Amino acid sequence: MSHLRIAGRAVVLTGASRGIGLSIARELARRGAHLALVARQAEGLERCARQVRDEVPGCRTLVLPADVSDAAAIHDVVQRAAQHFGGLGGVVCNAGLAHPGYFEELPADVFERLCAVNYLGAVHTVRAALPHVQRGGFIALTSSVLGYMGAFGHTAYAGTKFALVGFAECLRQELLQREIHVAVLCPPDTDTPGFAVERAITPPETAALSANAGLMHADDVARRFLRALERRAFLINVNLSTAVFHRAHRWFPSLTRAVMDRMVLAAQQRSSRSRS
Ligand SMILES: NC(=O)c1ccc[n+]([C@@H]2O[C@H](COP(=O)([O-])OP(=O)(O)OC[C@H]3O[C@@H](n4cnc5c(N)ncnc54)[C@H](OP(=O)(O)O)[C@@H]3O)[C@@H](O)[C@H]2O)c1
């Protein structure tokens, strides 16, 4: 099958103002896309738009502040994007947030907010955009490595990211005939403003699980994501260790769980030693 074409397409990108979304915006622009940029704060979007136009002067941008958890607001901005560009060539649902913590200490509204933004936000965006997505276009969703494996401290977040993978699996089949490609990006820990906020409240057991994994740069995540999207990949791991871990977890889940359990128990022993 031929490579997916990005050049000349108008792409709606949510969560565009910083972190992984900003890097995806720059990569899309370098590949010749025009951009409808969505996030809640207009200021960050304006900065993103200026940056991509400075880097790629031919890139057309449209700044559309909206909260993805507000179905009516997202419907409105997506209509404006489709009208402005005369249709859409792609959608990247990237807006999202994590909120780690011990399950018994996490209030119910954290679960509700993460579902509303991470999962339903993507559903609202896709629902609004699909009537305008041209044949040969694409829908991409940012999930996480926590979209295919669980980890201590992420009861609120992982459910939303697993949900995105399930949603994408189903949507992929429904859009086959329209030749709209569906992809789901599964980044590991990545150095972004959102990750810095998350890290400040991360339990020690959660931190121990990823202590040796390092942090990816958002530009590397975006570049590898776009390369894989162009090759029409479905589930996109952006480095070798997550690709290997994903396969290991699929084929030898008792082994990967045993490794993670040891890391969690060792972190808990360290914590109780330092408390006593
Ligand atoms: N960083 C990581 O380690 C990592 C790993 C795996 C997956 N991910 C996923 O990658 C995506 C981006 O993460 P990031 O680390 O780049 O986050 P980030 O630095 O916090 O950026 C989040 C972006 O989403 C926007 N946003 C947040 N809530 C929104 C809402 N309700 N409506 C519309 N826009 C909203 C933010 O702008 P406003 O605040 O102005 O709305 C911002 O543009 C998320 O889906 C995250 O779950 C991240």
Side-chain angles (χ1 to χ4, degrees):
M1 203 174 225
S2 64
H3 269 42
L4 192 135
R5 181 176 58 79
I6 306 280
R9 292 194 185 283
V11 179
V12 172
L13 168 64
T14 71
S17 58
R18 57 175 188 262
I20 294 172
L22 173 60
S23 296
I24 292 175
R26 296 171 62 207
E27 275 302 321
L28 284 166
R30 278 183 205 133
R31 285 164 160 81
H34 304 294
L35 300 172
L37 303 165
V38 180
R40 288 166 303 175
Q41 309 296 325
E43 234 172 75
L45 292 176
E46 298 287 2
R47 249 195 323 274
C48 168
R50 273 196 303 276
Q51 187 173 353
V52 293
R53 285 198 312 266
D54 284 350
E55 289 174 3
V56 183
C59 178
R60 291 164 63 204
T61 58
L62 184 64
V63 163
L64 297 167
D67 186 326
V68 294
S69 69
D70 180 339
I74 204 72
H75 182 266
D76 179 53
V77 296
V78 170
Q79 301 311 303
R80 281 164 54 198
Q83 249 168 24
H84 181 85
F85 290 110
L88 298 173
V91 182
V92 182
C93 299
N94 169 76
L97 73 163
H99 191 120
Y102 300 104
F103 172 67
E104 287 170 292
E105 294 174 10
L106 286 174
D109 63 2
V110 168
F111 285 75
E112 285 163 10
R113 184 67 188 152
L114 264 54
C115 278
V117 176
N118 296 0
Y119 177 58
L120 291 176
V123 174
H124 299 325
T125 308
V126 173
R127 188 189 296 287
L130 253 186
H132 308 285
V133 177
Q134 296 136 352
R135 187 170 277 274
F138 67 91
I139 306 280
L141 313 172
T142 303
S143 177
S144 165
V145 295
L146 294 169
Y148 55 74
M149 65 170 190
F152 192 109
H154 277 299
T155 51
Y157 180 71
T160 68
K161 295 297 182 176
F162 267 72
L164 284 175
V165 175
F167 174 63
E169 289 266 11
C170 303
L171 190 67
R172 194 189 73 76
Q173 292 176 11
E174 291 195 26
L175 298 181
L176 279 174
Q177 227 180 16
R178 285 175 62 184
E179 293 175 18
I180 295 174
H181 177 69
V182 175
V184 56
L185 166 66
C186 294
D189 287 351
T190 304
D191 190 7
T192 65
F195 185 76
V197 171
E198 176 189 332
R199 184 166 256 184
I201 55 167
T202 294
E205 296 90 338
T206 312
L209 285 175
S210 56
N212 297 323
L215 264 189
M216 275 195 77
H217 194 290
D219 290 346
D220 293 330
V221 171
R223 199 175 51 254
R224 292 172 193 186
F225 161 56
L226 262 298
R227 263 196 230 136
L229 181 67
E230 285 174 322
R231 288 196 308 270
R232 298 181 183 275
F234 172 66
L235 193 144
I236 300 174
N237 282 301
V238 286
N239 65 10
L240 184 64
S241 51
T242 54
V244 168
F245 195 89
H246 183 201
R247 276 169 185 72
H249 193 56
R250 198 192 282 157
W251 296 109
F252 310 105
S254 325
L255 177 70
T256 51
R257 285 196 190 111
V259 170
M260 290 171 81
D261 290 356
R262 279 173 70 111
M263 291 163 90
V264 166
L265 291 170
Q268 286 177 326
Q269 276 164 8
R270 279 196 300 277
S271 290
S272 42
R273 268 202 303 274
S274 66
R275 272 199 303 273
S276 60

